[in-house]
Amino acid sequence: MSLLTVKGLTKRFGGLVALANVEFSVAEAEIFGIIGPNGAGKTTLFNVLSGFQRADAGSIDLAGRRIDGLRPEQICRAGLVRTFQTSRVFADMTVLENVAVGALSRVNRVATAIECARRTFGDFGKRLHDYEPRPAETLSWANRARVEMARALACEPRLIALDEPAAGMNPAESNEIVELLRRLKARGISVLLIEHNMRVIMSACDRILVMHHGEPLMVGSPAEVKNDKRVVAAYLGAVDGLA
């Protein structure tokens, strides 16, 4: 059953068509990857899905409800939460406070939000528990990314959209991201994943949408994507994991 259905999504910036008739669906508990060269429209797609930009045409349906045209906080409460390519943690707040902010989108008591935040830390092993009292600005890039993911998960989304969560991570840290995605899938949470790390994409995703110049090039399994000549041509055969 489809959790997210996108039809005819189009977004223009003046004469530039950033998205052109993009269509796809994401099933319940599916890890759905989105790849494409720089400028393919991936982050614009996330911005439109999450309400930070409005589409010029098309529709977005989440669990049977139209969410295109809603504000970001309304879309969050409807069950779609996203992270950003550049980490947006609250630098002067502690790790615990950052994650509790996510929980406050659905609970009214600060004490309850803190309890929810600490439960969310369990998805990231001992690491975030250890950093709980530290200001987020003192963390490494990789740990800031973890905090942002934890904050999104504290919202208890049905679908989480992750924009390059493995960026800047070493192979061991990237493997942790893959394991996290699999745990989310096992819990019934759907994942939309933009990622340039092809090893993460190919090992984690059930299906992949390939974008090129704002248009969908194909949707298929990792094996189908890897062996499609159009995909190889779009990437000029130079992306590690596809060439």
Side-chain angles (χ1 to χ4, degrees), residues 45-73:
L45 177 58
F46 264 30
N47 288 341
V48 172
L49 292 176
S50 56
F52 285 86
Q53 294 173 341
R54 290 209 172 193
D56 295 304
S59 64
I60 306 167
D61 184 288
L62 180 68
R65 176 187 177 187
R66 285 282 296 269
I67 63 170
D68 48 284
L70 297 183
R71 298 188 304 274
E73 67 272 19

Side-chain angles (χ1 to χ4, degrees), residues 4 13 19 34 41-54 60 62 67 70-90 98 101-102 105 144-165 181 184 189-195:
L4 179 74
F13 297 100
L19 298 174
I34 302 174
K42 305 182 297 297
T43 295
T44 298
L45 177 58
F46 264 30
N47 288 341
V48 172
L49 292 176
S50 56
F52 285 86
Q53 294 173 341
R54 290 209 172 193
I60 306 167
L62 180 68
I67 63 170
L70 297 183
R71 298 188 304 274
E73 67 272 19
Q74 294 174 312
I75 292 173
C76 172
R77 294 190 188 102
L80 191 162
V81 179
R82 60 89 56 93
T83 64
F84 293 85
Q85 185 176 351
T86 301
S87 178
R88 296 191 180 185
V89 297
F90 300 111
N98 264 273
V101 166
S105 69
R144 288 188 185 203
R146 291 183 180 96
V147 170
E148 187 165 2
M149 283 186 278
R151 187 173 60 201
L153 287 172
C155 300
E156 294 193 351
R158 298 187 65 178
L159 186 154
I160 184 168
L162 303 175
D163 195 345
E164 296 196 42
L181 299 180
L184 298 182
I189 299 173
S190 299
V191 179
L192 268 176
L193 176 65
I194 293 177
E195 185 56 68

Side-chain angles (χ1 to χ4, degrees), residues 12 16 24 61 66 74 98 101 110-111 119 124 129 137 150 152 157 160 172 189 199 203 216:
R12 302 180 183 88
L16 173 67
F24 64 93
D61 184 288
R66 285 282 296 269
Q74 294 174 312
N98 264 273
V101 166
V110 172
R119 285 199 300 272
F124 299 86
H129 282 293
E137 65 184 355
I160 184 168
I189 299 173
R199 289 185 177 87
S203 59

Side-chain angles (χ1 to χ4, degrees), residues 34-40 42 195-196 198 209-212 234-235:
I34 302 174
I35 66 172
N38 290 331
K42 305 182 297 297
E195 185 56 68
H196 283 291
M198 287 298 106
L209 164 67
V210 184
M211 299 281 296
H212 191 50
Y235 275 85

Side-chain angles (χ1 to χ4, degrees), residues 31 177-187 203-204:
I31 303 175
I177 294 297
V178 172
E179 290 306 313
L180 171 63
L181 299 180
R182 290 172 177 166
R183 288 196 297 273
L184 298 182
K185 174 183 171 71
R187 294 216 302 266
S203 59

